[in-house]
Structures are given as C-alpha cells and as structure tokens.
C-alpha cells in the first residue's frame, strides 16, 4: 500500500477581521497517498481554494492537525512554511503567472534561484522539464509569444523543475479552449500514471475532475463525498505534443 503524503485531522479555518470571525472550513478529515491523482471539486465558496492554500503552505490552519510526509506541519512559522513550499510543492494556476517578456527557459528556471545548483544544472533541469511537456522547440521564445495552452504547459514545467513531492493544479484549464484544456489534462495524467507524481487538482468542473482517480467534493466548508472515479476520463494526444 502507498505511503501517506498528506493527512489532515479536524482541519478548521476561520478568518478574523475587526473582531468579525468568518469560518470557512469546519473540521476536515482525509488522507492522500503518494502517487495519487485527487481532484478537489466544489462550487465557488465551498472552501476548496482555502483548503488548497493550506495544503500548499500558502496559508495556516486555525485548528486541527496537518501531517505532510509524516511530519506534523500544523505549527510551522511563516519562514518554515516558505521553505516547505519551495522544496516540496509545485503550483499550476489558472492565470499561468508567467513573466511576459521573459523566455520560456528563464520562466521555468525561476524556482531554482533559491536552490544551491550550478548554472549548468539549473539549465539542464529546466530544459528537461520543458521537454517533458512538449515545448523544447519553444525554449527560447518569450512567454508572451505563446498560446494559452502553451503558457499552461510552461507553468507545468515550472512546477516540475524543483522535483516537488506534489503538484497542485488550481483550475488549470479555466482559461483554455477545450482542445488546449485536454492537452493540459493529458500531461497531468501522464505525470501521474507514467512518472508517479502526486497531483491535486482543484476545479469546479465535473468533466475535468473525472480525469483524476478520486474526487473530494466540497460544499459549505465540508467534504460532502470522497469517492473513486468509476469512469475515469482519459485524455489523448500527449505523444503528439512531444513530436
């Protein structure tokens, strides 16, 4: 059986502003094992983005426990969370978050600025990541010269370059047409099925969520259901991307 990568117990989150308390998450309990592809699905306001921010060390929980790869990370301070985030987490966002007048190679190398590597090793890691998403022919292009689908593939390469324990994909197809969206989902499936990466996908779309193997459905700050995907969607075409 696969080892646990993420485990939360009684996870709660509330925000306080001028003594006004706004609860968002109401005591979540679940586990994600290494090598799983899990979708967190729910409508706007369900708490899925807040949960992702906590799991990805972008925010802190208010109550409960969070174990990451066996370590209790519930009480880490901001500096410790930043180290964990840089070393263990790769992010792919809906808005791509690329530097527009910067090359694909330099965009992908950005997370390596804080890693003790030689320039040659940084370049090799970034080049390998770019090749893995089928964009070797675009490596010297500026990111503002790319299509939306290509930008998201650069974002995936950037998420991979630090060899993270888990990749969080937050609405990764939200700004893409259906063809480009399927290409991105195929790459994520390939990273999971062929390379063993743990993927956590955040989405409000049922069809996109069904590319994962398991779906956590959220509603009003609670997990409404936690189920295996029975008829998993399998995207096609990753081999064509790499030609």
């Amino acid at each position: 059986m696969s080892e646990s990568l993420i485990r939360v117990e009684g996870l709660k989150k509330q925000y306080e502003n001028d003594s006004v308390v706004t609860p968002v998450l109401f005591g979540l309990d679940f586990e994600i094992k290494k090598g799983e592809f899990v979708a967190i699905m729910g409508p706007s306001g369900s708490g899925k983005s807040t949960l992702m921010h906590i799991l990805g060390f972008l925010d802190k929980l208010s109550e409960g426990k969070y174990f990451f790869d066996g370590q209790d990370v519930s009480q880490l301070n901001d500096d410790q969370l930043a180290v964990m985030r840089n070393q263990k987490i790769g992010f792919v966002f809906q808005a791509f978050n690329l530097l527009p007048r910067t090359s694909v190679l330099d965009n992908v190398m950005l997370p390596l600025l804080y890693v003790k590597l030689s320039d040659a090793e940084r370049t090799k890691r970034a080049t390998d990541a770019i090749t893995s998403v089928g964009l070797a022919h675009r490596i010297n292009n500026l990111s503002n010269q790319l299509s939306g689908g290509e930008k998201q593939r650069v974002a995936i390469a950037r998420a991979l370059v630090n060899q993270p324990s888990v990749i969080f994909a937050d609405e990764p197809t939200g700004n893409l047409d259906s063809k480009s969206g399927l290409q991105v989902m195929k790459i994520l499936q390939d990273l999971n099925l062929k390379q063993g990466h743990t993927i956590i996908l955040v989405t409000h779309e049922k069809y996109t969520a069904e590319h994962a193997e398991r779906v956590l459905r959220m509603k009003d700050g609670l997990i409404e259901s936690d189920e295996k995907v029975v008829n998993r969607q399998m995207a096609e075409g990753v081999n064509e991307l790499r030609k």
Side-chain angles (χ1 to χ4, degrees):
M1 183 177 290
S2 299
E3 294 179 55
S4 173
L5 179 66
I6 286 171
R7 180 163 56 90
V8 299
E9 299 175 355
L11 187 152
K12 296 182 181 181
K13 179 64 180 180
Q14 62 187 32
Y15 294 100
E16 297 184 25
N17 185 22
D18 294 330
S19 73
V20 177
V21 177
T22 305
V24 180
L25 301 175
F26 295 90
L28 309 184
D29 297 276
F30 63 87
E31 181 179 39
I32 295 174
K33 296 186 181 299
K34 293 179 180 178
E36 275 197 288
F37 189 155
V38 177
I40 300 173
M41 183 183 170
S44 297
S46 62
K48 62 184 187 299
S49 293
T50 299
L51 176 59
M52 187 203 76
H53 289 161
I54 293 170
L55 297 181
F57 306 117
L58 292 167
D59 200 355
K60 296 179 181 180
L61 52 75
S62 300
E63 294 182 41
K65 293 286 187 179
Y66 175 17
F67 297 90
F68 187 92
D69 205 7
Q71 178 185 357
D72 184 353
V73 296
S74 310
Q75 304 302 319
L76 295 185
N77 62 36
D78 290 341
D79 290 340
Q80 292 168 323
L81 288 175
V83 171
M84 291 287 290
R85 186 167 63 244
N86 190 57
Q87 293 179 349
K88 303 291 187 180
I89 308 295
F91 289 104
V92 180
F93 295 104
Q94 178 176 342
F96 318 132
N97 293 350
L98 303 180
L99 298 178
R101 297 181 182 178
T102 305
S103 72
V104 167
L105 179 63
D106 286 339
N107 266 288
V108 173
M109 281 200 295
L110 274 176
L112 299 177
L113 292 175
Y114 308 100
V115 181
K116 292 181 180 179
L117 294 172
S118 67
D119 290 343
E121 181 61 24
R122 285 192 181 95
T123 301
K124 182 181 185 306
R125 273 208 202 178
T127 301
D128 288 348
I130 292 164
T131 301
S132 76
V133 298
L135 286 178
H137 62 296
R138 293 289 205 183
I139 194 166
N140 294 314
N141 283 89
L142 302 182
S143 67
N144 60 3
Q145 297 173 325
L146 306 180
S147 69
E150 288 172 333
K151 288 177 181 177
Q152 195 58 293
R153 285 152 63 188
V154 173
I156 293 172
R158 184 184 56 193
L160 285 170
V161 76
N162 248 357
Q163 301 169 351
S165 300
V166 58
I167 296 171
F168 287 92
D170 187 9
E171 302 281 6
T173 63
N175 284 339
L176 305 178
D177 59 48
S178 57
K179 181 180 178 181
S180 297
L182 283 174
Q183 290 175 341
V184 165
M185 293 312 302
K186 179 57 181 176
I187 290 172
L188 292 175
Q189 283 187 334
D190 205 37
L191 292 172
N192 173 247
L193 294 170
K194 296 183 179 179
Q195 299 183 35
H197 288 280
T198 306
I199 310 284
I200 298 177
L201 168 72
V202 177
T203 183
H204 67 278
E205 298 174 339
K206 182 174 183 290
Y207 177 76
T208 301
E210 288 175 347
H211 285 82
E213 60 183 313
R214 174 182 162 207
V215 178
L216 297 177
R217 286 183 172 83
M218 295 191 65
K219 183 177 180 181
D220 300 330
L222 293 166
I223 294 177
E224 193 174 40
S225 64
D226 179 355
E227 299 173 339
K228 290 283 187 181
V229 177
V230 178
N231 296 308
R232 188 177 184 186
Q233 301 290 340
M234 300 303 293
E236 300 295 336
V238 77
N239 292 329
E240 286 77 1
L241 292 175
R242 293 182 178 173
K243 289 179 181 178

